[in-house]
Amino acid sequence: MTIVITAFERSPDGGKGLARDTRVRWALEEVGQPYEVRLVSFRAMKEPAHLALHPFGQIPTYEEGGLALFETGAIVFHIAQHHAGLLPGDANARARAITWLFAALNTVEPPILELTTARLMEGDKSWAKERLPLVADRVRDRLKPLSARLDDAGWLDGDFSAGDLMMVSVLLRLRASGILDEYPNLAAYVARGEARPAYKRAFAAQLAVNTRP
Ligand code: GTB
């Protein structure tokens, strides 16, 4: 059955890997599943046809036969459950990898999103200068223990898993802030993720969409 995902017709970052279809493309590349992409404009995302797939009018979505999913956590988990390559076979190791996937989305991503909002959307507010350091420190509150846990390991729990895929995807958005570089092992961890051939294919595919004439 053909897998179809949705992505921005024109991504605000020019297709540099920051929009959330990247993590879904990456997961599909890791497990060797071909997929098609339906591009949607910002207007089309809020129209009934897309809202039927995604109640919040966002990308990405995932369709496969009669199944339609939204939320990158659910999509990556679905891919990892149904195809070998992103979750260990051992039941306990599998549960731990899934835990890291949730940790990336529920514990690490929220302050990073808050920082992005503070930098990009609130920068012109009178209180922005006072608030930004507080938000940045909330990111550090997550990165410090994450860095300590990773230590000098390659991945968070044994082999590369869906948990690492999601954690690297989440951390990537920090690069522009410079905060990631305060934690050299996390910066190296992200670079390791980006060096994976599957990530490179996903990145190239997204960039190609956004650099077409
Ligand atoms: N929790 C959802 C998930 O994980 O799937 C969040 C999905 C989401 O935020 N989608 C965004 C979207 O559709 C695109 S990724 N936004 C349009 C809208 O809400 O109307 C967020 C994003 C967009 C662009 C950049 N960029 O260019 O740097 C980075 C991240």
Side-chain angles (χ1 to χ4, degrees), residues 8 11-13 18-20 45-46 57-60 71-72 173:
F8 283 132
S11 187
D13 71 339
L18 296 182
R20 283 186 180 75
M45 284 193 309
K46 309 299 176 197
Q58 296 185 315
I59 60 97
E71 283 297 332
T72 53
R173 282 192 78 176

Side-chain angles (χ1 to χ4, degrees), residues 8 10-21 23-24 40 42 45-46 50 54 56-61 70-75 105 109 113 116 120 166 173:
F8 283 132
R10 289 270 169 224
S11 187
D13 71 339
K16 302 274 175 52
L18 296 182
R20 283 186 180 75
D21 57 298
R23 50 184 79 165
V24 173
V40 286
F42 278 95
M45 284 193 309
K46 309 299 176 197
H50 189 74
H54 197 309
F56 305 109
Q58 296 185 315
I59 60 97
T61 57
F70 61 97
E71 283 297 332
T72 53
I75 296 170
L105 293 170
E109 189 166 52
L113 292 182
T116 307
L120 302 182
M166 198 56 86
R173 282 192 78 176

Side-chain angles (χ1 to χ4, degrees), residues 16-139:
K16 302 274 175 52
L18 296 182
R20 283 186 180 75
D21 57 298
T22 314
R23 50 184 79 165
V24 173
R25 293 173 184 269
W26 185 10
L28 288 166
E29 292 287 353
E30 288 285 350
V31 301
Q33 283 296 303
Y35 62 97
E36 292 177 5
V37 183
R38 191 168 62 248
L39 301 174
V40 286
S41 64
F42 278 95
R43 202 186 62 194
M45 284 193 309
K46 309 299 176 197
E47 288 174 351
H50 189 74
L51 288 171
L53 288 173
H54 197 309
F56 305 109
Q58 296 185 315
I59 60 97
T61 57
Y62 174 101
E63 291 159 83
E64 187 181 13
L67 176 68
L69 298 174
F70 61 97
E71 283 297 332
T72 53
I75 296 170
V76 169
F77 185 35
H78 174 81
I79 294 166
Q81 269 189 311
H82 288 88
H83 305 281
L86 282 172
L87 286 174
D90 172 75
N92 284 354
R94 197 176 179 92
R96 289 196 303 272
I98 294 165
T99 300
W100 279 117
L101 188 148
F102 276 88
L105 293 170
N106 287 354
T107 301
V108 180
E109 189 166 52
I112 292 176
L113 292 182
E114 198 55 38
L115 182 67
T116 307
T117 304
R119 290 179 73 231
L120 302 182
M121 323 261 280
E122 299 170 354
D124 58 341
K125 304 285 188 236
S126 57
W127 36 262
K129 264 200 172 135
E130 276 180 85
R131 181 162 187 263
L132 199 57
L134 304 177
V135 179
D137 278 346
R138 273 181 230 129
V139 173

Side-chain angles (χ1 to χ4, degrees), residues 27 70 95 183 201:
F70 61 97
Y183 304 86
R201 289 194 295 274

